Amino acid sequence: MSWRSCFYFLRAAHKTLYTLQEQLGLLGRSGIRPSSTMAQTVTPILSVLPTRGLVDEKFKVALENLPPRFPVTLHSLHQSEDKDYWEAFGYYVSDDRGRVTVSQDASLGGTYTGAEPMGLLWSMRPVPGSRTGLRLRKMDVQSPMVVLISAYKGHVFEGFREQPPMASAVTERWYMAPGVQRIDIRERGVKGTIFIPQGPGPFPGVLDMWGGGGGLVEYRSALLASHGFVSLALDYLSPKVAVADDQSLVYFEKAFNIIQQHPQVIKDRVGICGLCLGASVTLNVAAYSESVSPRCCVCISGSHVLPAAKSLSYVINDGYKHMDKLLVDEQNRMVWRHAILPITTNPDEKLDMGRIKCPLLLVNGDDDQSKATVESAEDIAKMMRAAGNEHLLTTLNYHDAGHLIEPPYTPHFRASNFIIQHLQQKVLVLWGGKTKPHADAQEDSWQKILSFLREHLYPCPSSSIPQAKL
Amino acid sequence: MAQTVTPILSVLPTRGLVDEKFKVALENLPPRFPVTLHSLHQSEDKDYWEAFGYYVSDDRGRVTVSQDASLGGTYTGAEPMGLLWSMRPVPGSRTGLRLRKMDVQSPMVVLISAYKGHVFEGFREQPPMASAVTERWYMAPGVQRIDIRERGVKGTIFIPQGPGPFPGVLDMWGGGGGLVEYRSALLASHGFVSMALDYLSFETFKTHNECLSYFEKVFSIIQQHPQVIKDRVGICGLSLGATVTLTMAAYCKSISPRCCVCISGSHVFPSGVSFAEVFQFKEMDMGKARLDEQKRVIWRDMILPIPTDPQRKVAMGRIKCPLLLVNGDDDQNWATVESAEDMAKMMRAAGNDHLLTTLTYHDAGHLIEPPYTPHFRASNFIVQHSKQKVVMLWGGQTKPHADAQEDSWEKILAFLRQHLYPCPSSSLPQAKL
């Protein structure tokens, strides 16, 4: 039975009835039953805990019942919604008790090295022979990412399909905690998805926006709701959503109001989180909206360099006009970071950061090849210093991280396919970053983003409340 | 808003196996603030079960259930899993309830909530400050469940994730009957092909040998499974299932379990002088059954004193494989501790007592099950042969019983691994370091 069809079989057979005869037929065995006297059979016990975790939850992968000082390869495999296969692997040697403990032991090679508890997830890349320019994203957040963890004899770097592993385990990775509700929003012209945490509420709220790639991307919102925030994932670039030519911020203000007015939201505790173009929108709303006041803002891999008075569509088109500054590297990948360099000194060409009235967290990677976010952050600090509101600013710069700083333990892609919406042109975009530093940046920044949101959006407990006599 | 408290409640993992510990924590409370942590579960029978513990936040406004002591409620002290094992039916429920998950393909869903102050009632009437949902699963992802309906055998096989081959376990429950799958599902989640067997529904055997053939057939179904290591199959039984286990281990000629686990069982045949008579639904001698002051049935005296007549009990000298006995000394249903002593005596005389390990848990009752599920000192029971509905006293005090479930399950898994998983050969090539 081929390894690939074995994988499908295991997935499909979960709830199916079989008699023993049918099973024997499917498995195609010739009738030789294994016994433990077969020479050199190694039957290790592989465990992955938790068996079902949230995407940002650490897991513990362990092997026992191996011979001592036995070389093994731990391998992970995931089939994406687009049907591509992703894998990672690490080389280990069992200790004197015949155990491998991934959270403690060092990987000696593979797609990651060193003691990396989550390396089997963040170092994944498409399997050999895959299509190029792939990016791993979960669009259906109501089902988990299913990952197969396997243990192979020896240190293997290829041919995982052709040889059976010694043992394997399946683990699920969820963006939605149980009890989180997902609700489609299609009202007042606004298109998005709201996620509501479990509990009576009321909760703080977050408006959550992705970048210029467009579409309705829900996973970060689902995870924010799993951490206690009502979160609205907003689609602001799709053709049907008539926002691109709108010069005002009305669409975003409407979206913000939808969150504020939700019966389970504390209306003066709503913040905004945006990545890339979404970060620019965030700054624009925070600086110029006259009807909404975010309590705090998180801007990931964003910039303030965009003309405030112009529409989004203008901003996007304008960006592509400076094609002379848009490099294409030796592998035909678009490098867009120079488009806004040097940072303009003309105040009409960038947002007035002196108008920011709420705490602002900037999260950037210094190897961002798509946008000059580090230079932008320096200029933002300069503007805010001059305006006297610099105390609101916190900047996190991650060395060797790229543009796509996402929730942790998901793979890094230095470049991937991208469709330039209005040109309907498919290109390969260089995002930047080196895998290990980028993974560390995702892990660290996510914790800090959650803390920042909690600190500013969750009401502080009042110390005037009666306390227990102890 | 004056005095609005918006704590952040977390339960990790959000989705766990039934035998996995979880961490319940509250933060963003005022310091030294009294709270009640409450758990709620609606069973498949639609009854509600709950537990609760009283806590006071520390100076940083945090409550950490895995470390802090509960000051009252359904459990006290530092009990990470108290919100699960101390559950009992909510006030106003039907009586004599027992919590069992019959559909193992869906999780037990538990709602954990945090209330202001120390509350002992009226959880329904007041809104909590915060709540979280957690799932508890008997089946790990990747475990397959397969119905077995062939050759007169009714059961369910659970196959672990992986290429195999795996050791196997035949898993049997007690005289209550039915097809109870959850322990098998959990065993498969730990790497054993496990078959839950319904052995009481429809079989009546006329002879002792017919009985034995039936169980030999069942055992070989597991052995012959393509993903099972044929000389690494054991048996696990509780209550009457334990008696069946011992009988198979002692008398079956064509099969040899590699090891056996007997939970709350006895080697004494419950009625008459024949194992087959159990399956003829022969009326047990109820003369020694008693009722306590609450009219609950106590069966433990029925096999006391332990008979000296060898025909009334399994010949323990014939046991050839390692045997683990797990008993509670407050077992009111079956005289398991006395039975274990007699088994040890018989095996000592026969020279095979090196095979025997006995675990006796102080103040645990009869129903020693996988951990972190509630304890019931008594529950409704239908006596198979008379179809009479009684309230059966199982025994046990809740906290010691919960500890017994936790400890024994670890030891049962370790025992099964030790005897059923092939030892790694040290003659295999090793890495040069």
Side-chain angles (χ1 to χ4, degrees), chain A residues 9-10 13-21 23-24 27 29 32-37 39-45 49-54 57 64-71 93-94 108 148 153 155 164-172 174 176-179 198-202 227-228 266 454 458-470, chain B residues 1 3-8 12-17 20 27-34 56-57 71 105 111 127-135 137 139-151 157 159-165 190 221 223-232 258 417 421-433:
Chain A
F9 168 72
L10 290 169
H14 193 72
K15 287 183 182 179
T16 313
L17 298 179
Y18 286 100
T19 64
L20 223 34
Q21 299 306 114
Q23 256 202 303
L24 282 166
L27 290 167
R29 298 295 179 110
I32 298 171
R33 243 77 67 193
S35 82
S36 61
T37 55
Q40 298 196 0
T41 306
V42 182
T43 35
I45 298 167
L49 289 176
T51 46
R52 297 170 174 88
L54 288 180
E57 213 178 321
E64 46 177 327
N65 205 50
L66 287 164
R69 296 185 297 288
F70 191 78
V93 177
S94 64
L108 309 165
L148 179 71
K153 270 192 215 179
H155 292 165
M166 297 185 288
S168 63
V170 172
T171 186
E172 294 178 356
W174 290 81
M176 273 174 82
Q198 164 65 39
H227 287 281
I266 309 169
R454 271 191 209 120
Y458 258 90
C460 268
S462 159
S463 50
S464 66
I465 296 175
Q467 292 166 4
K469 295 189 184 45
L470 283 176
Chain B
M1 270 169 133
Q3 300 195 359
T4 306
V5 183
T6 35
I8 299 167
L12 287 175
T14 46
R15 295 171 175 88
L17 287 181
E20 213 177 322
E27 45 178 327
N28 205 48
L29 286 163
R32 296 187 296 288
F33 191 78
V56 177
S57 62
L71 309 166
Q105 297 188 96
L111 179 70
M129 297 184 289
S131 64
V133 172
T134 185
E135 296 179 355
W137 289 81
M139 273 174 82
V143 168
Q144 287 174 264
R145 177 190 174 282
I146 298 167
D147 288 296
I148 301 293
R149 303 284 187 275
E150 58 182 83
R151 297 192 259 160
I157 270 194
I159 304 174
Q161 164 64 42
H190 288 280
I221 283 175
Q223 274 191 316
Q224 287 162 19
H225 191 286
Q227 277 175 287
V228 170
I229 308 168
K230 67 176 178 11
D231 61 341
R232 298 274 174 165
R258 186 89 179 201
R417 270 191 209 117
Y421 259 90
C423 268
S425 161
S426 52
S427 66
L428 285 163
Q430 291 168 5
K432 293 186 183 46
L433 282 175

Side-chain angles (χ1 to χ4, degrees), chain B residues 116-138:
Chain B
K116 270 190 214 179
H118 292 165
V119 183
F120 65 94
E121 59 177 4
F123 291 104
R124 248 179 262 215
E125 284 75 46
Q126 52 179 306
M129 297 184 289
S131 64
V133 172
T134 185
E135 296 179 355
R136 307 291 294 170
W137 289 81
Y138 279 102

Side-chain angles (χ1 to χ4, degrees), chain B residues 13-74:
Chain B
T14 46
R15 295 171 175 88
L17 287 181
V18 163
D19 58 0
E20 213 177 322
K21 283 188 159 170
F22 63 12
K23 290 186 176 183
V24 178
L26 268 174
E27 45 178 327
N28 205 48
L29 286 163
R32 296 187 296 288
F33 191 78
V35 297
T36 302
L37 276 164
H38 178 266
S39 61
L40 184 71
H41 169 69
Q42 188 182 29
S43 69
E44 288 168 339
D45 300 327
K46 305 290 182 216
D47 302 293
Y48 284 97
W49 293 69
E50 69 178 0
F52 49 95
Y54 299 150
Y55 295 88
V56 177
S57 62
D58 63 16
D59 288 341
R60 296 197 304 165
R62 298 181 175 207
V63 171
T64 312
V65 173
S66 55
Q67 291 165 206
D68 302 351
S70 160
L71 309 166
T74 59

Side-chain angles (χ1 to χ4, degrees), chain B residues 215-271:
Chain B
F215 288 101
E216 283 170 353
K217 187 169 55 168
V218 169
F219 191 89
S220 53
I221 283 175
I222 304 173
Q223 274 191 316
Q224 287 162 19
H225 191 286
Q227 277 175 287
V228 170
I229 308 168
K230 67 176 178 11
D231 61 341
R232 298 274 174 165
V233 181
I235 314 178
C236 177
L238 179 140
S239 194
L240 185 62
T243 311
V244 173
T245 300
L246 293 169
T247 306
M248 288 175 72
Y251 298 109
C252 284
K253 297 204 170 61
S254 63
I255 55 118
S256 298
R258 186 89 179 201
C259 68
C260 292
V261 178
C262 293
I263 305 166
S264 301
S266 174
H267 60 321
V268 177
F269 297 128
S271 59

Side-chain angles (χ1 to χ4, degrees), chain B residues 237-349:
Chain B
L238 179 140
S239 194
L240 185 62
T243 311
V244 173
T245 300
L246 293 169
T247 306
M248 288 175 72
Y251 298 109
C252 284
K253 297 204 170 61
S254 63
I255 55 118
S256 298
R258 186 89 179 201
C259 68
C260 292
V261 178
C262 293
I263 305 166
S264 301
S266 174
H267 60 321
V268 177
F269 297 128
S271 59
V273 296
S274 157
F275 182 52
E277 284 175 336
V278 173
F279 298 97
Q280 290 165 13
F281 301 131
K282 181 179 200 282
E283 189 112 350
M284 289 191 285
D285 178 4
M286 300 300 265
K288 289 197 188 157
R290 321 183 254 122
L291 292 179
D292 72 357
E293 65 288 351
Q294 291 176 54
K295 294 208 163 31
R296 302 182 296 195
V297 175
I298 303 173
W299 275 359
R300 67 174 261 100
D301 300 325
M302 281 167 56
I303 57 169
L304 291 176
I306 302 290
T308 46
D309 175 5
Q311 284 204 300
R312 301 248 350 251
K313 48 192 185 179
V314 174
M316 297 302 295
R318 296 173 59 110
I319 301 288
K320 298 172 287 299
C321 66
L323 171 62
L324 174 66
L325 305 180
V326 178
N327 297 320
D329 75 4
D330 192 39
D331 191 328
Q332 297 298 319
N333 183 250
W334 223 240
T336 55
V337 170
E338 293 87 338
S339 299
E341 282 160 8
D342 192 65
M343 286 190 236
K345 206 162 88 180
M346 292 174 78
M347 291 175 81
R348 211 173 298 132

